[in-house]
Amino acid sequence: MTEFSFSCTGVRADRFAAGPTLVFRLRVTASGDTPVHALALRCQIRIEPARRAYAPAEADGLTDLFGERSRWGSTLQPVQFAQVPLMVSSFTGETEADLVVPCTYDMDIAATRYLDALTDGEVPLLLLFSGTAFTGAGGFQVEPVPWDREASFRMPVATWREMVEQHFPGCGWIRLPRDTMAALLAYRSRHALPSWEATLQALLDDRGAPDPPARDPLRALTGTTGRTDP
């Protein structure tokens, strides 16, 4: 039975992808000299937060995920990052392949919030592999890729930020319910605001303004104060 091992040799941001995408470079090694006709892999990527240190500013940004720093001994658990398939073409002995991972900048996703909170250094990742191998010198046979195949990798935070900047230059991203979006659109149209940035800024400015005085209902209808002089 063929033994497979995996390692990750690098990662880059895909400059030509339609959306935020990371490309991990994998090295796949098969024992012996039996040809591998194809590998159908399932690849799961996890963030392992406990495997790095955090500056005070980073710790503040991670409070909503892991709680106060004093609790991190029990709350700093792995975070799911991605799960993607990969087909590796035929090889004998060793080969390399690109693992393409579509990403999101949705701040409701735990992995995105974690990555956005980091200012420098590396992201500790664990890549888990399983799947099916088609091997054999004459014809082919089907072999499983065991569930215990894995590879550790430390992704530079700068690579993640480069990817985000390619698609959201100088911007953040939030997801809103449809009724909230409809209300924001109505506010923007009502005030003839030129952009979403101007819309949100107007709302923030209004928040600090004093409440308008209560209106006299009689004056609203007649234009008078409702008082009769003696």
Side-chain angles (χ1 to χ4, degrees), residues 2 12 39 67 73 88 93 107 113 149 161 199 219:
T2 307
R12 71 180 191 275
L39 272 179
V88 180
M107 296 302 290
R113 295 209 307 277
R149 304 295 91 174
R161 295 199 172 278
T199 302
R219 183 173 184 176

Side-chain angles (χ1 to χ4, degrees), residues 34-130:
T34 301
V36 178
H37 303 297
L39 272 179
L41 295 174
R42 294 180 295 273
C43 309
Q44 183 180 155
I45 305 177
R46 294 178 184 169
I47 299 170
E48 297 199 309
R51 289 173 47 209
R52 63 158 282 169
Y54 299 92
E58 293 174 327
D60 291 342
L62 294 171
T63 301
D64 65 328
L65 281 180
F66 304 121
E68 296 298 328
R69 198 162 192 162
S70 59
R71 301 176 52 214
W72 282 12
S74 59
T75 62
L76 219 59
Q77 299 299 317
V79 176
Q80 180 77 3
F81 180 59
Q83 187 161 337
V84 291
L86 175 65
M87 287 297 300
V88 180
S89 57
S90 62
F91 69 97
T92 300
E94 186 175 279
T95 190
E96 292 193 354
D98 285 339
L99 178 64
V100 179
V101 180
C103 301
T104 178
Y105 197 35
D106 185 347
M107 296 302 290
D108 285 340
I109 305 299
T112 305
R113 295 209 307 277
Y114 173 85
L115 291 163
D116 188 68
L118 303 184
T119 59
D120 202 359
E122 297 172 327
V123 183
L125 300 176
L126 182 65
L127 290 76
L128 305 166
F129 302 94
S130 62

